[in-house]
Amino acid sequence: HVQLVESGGGSVQAGGSLRLSCATSGNPYPYSPYCMAWFRQAPGKERAGVARLTSDGTTRYADPVKGRFTISKDNAKNTLYLTMSSLKPEDTAVYYCAAVVCGTWYARYWGQGTQVTVS
């Protein structure tokens, strides 16, 4: 069973940076059938994919965050990261870590979410 726990959210001024972390268990590299991704859900909007890793380690980003966000993972620490820079008020959302079917945005497991507020 995959478990995901996010941390690192908070409040930041526009133009600032934050790094989110997601501690994972039950999803050991390189045996896991899942890839990792970040999603976000803004108030009144549907949850949407932000960034994901592919099975060969390459990355995919949603257009609104390209060039500003970076997804990465530390396999030794079983931790996924989302480094966010040049933050905008429209980045305000609850951010979720997810284990997805590789090559898709289809999430099989979710973390509990962490709030990011940009003012």
Side-chain angles (χ1 to χ4, degrees):
H1 182 67
V2 178
Q3 292 185 311
L4 308 170
V5 180
E6 302 97 333
S7 61
S11 296
V12 64
Q13 291 188 337
S17 300
L18 276 176
R19 189 177 77 161
L20 306 182
S21 299
C22 174
T24 71
S25 61
N27 194 42
Y29 176 86
Y31 309 107
S32 172
Y34 302 112
C35 292
M36 299 304 297
W38 288 96
F39 290 72
R40 68 185 181 185
Q41 187 167 18
K45 295 188 177 181
E46 293 186 354
R47 195 172 299 188
V50 173
R52 62 183 172 88
L53 292 168
T54 66
S55 56
D56 62 0
T58 57
T59 56
R60 297 288 185 271
Y61 296 95
D63 285 345
V65 307
K66 283 182 180 177
R68 300 188 299 120
F69 290 12
T70 302
I71 186 172
S72 61
K73 66 177 180 175
D74 184 328
N75 292 320
K77 295 182 178 179
N78 293 318
T79 301
L80 179 74
Y81 300 101
L82 184 68
T83 304
M84 306 182 293
S85 60
S86 302
L87 283 162
K88 305 174 182 180
E90 51 264 45
D91 295 318
T92 295
V94 178
Y95 283 73
Y96 298 89
C97 171
V100 299
V101 174
C102 292
T104 78
W105 290 102
Y106 180 71
R108 293 297 304 272
Y109 298 94
W110 295 98
Q112 83 287 354
T114 186
Q115 176 71 45
V116 172
T117 303
V118 185
S119 59

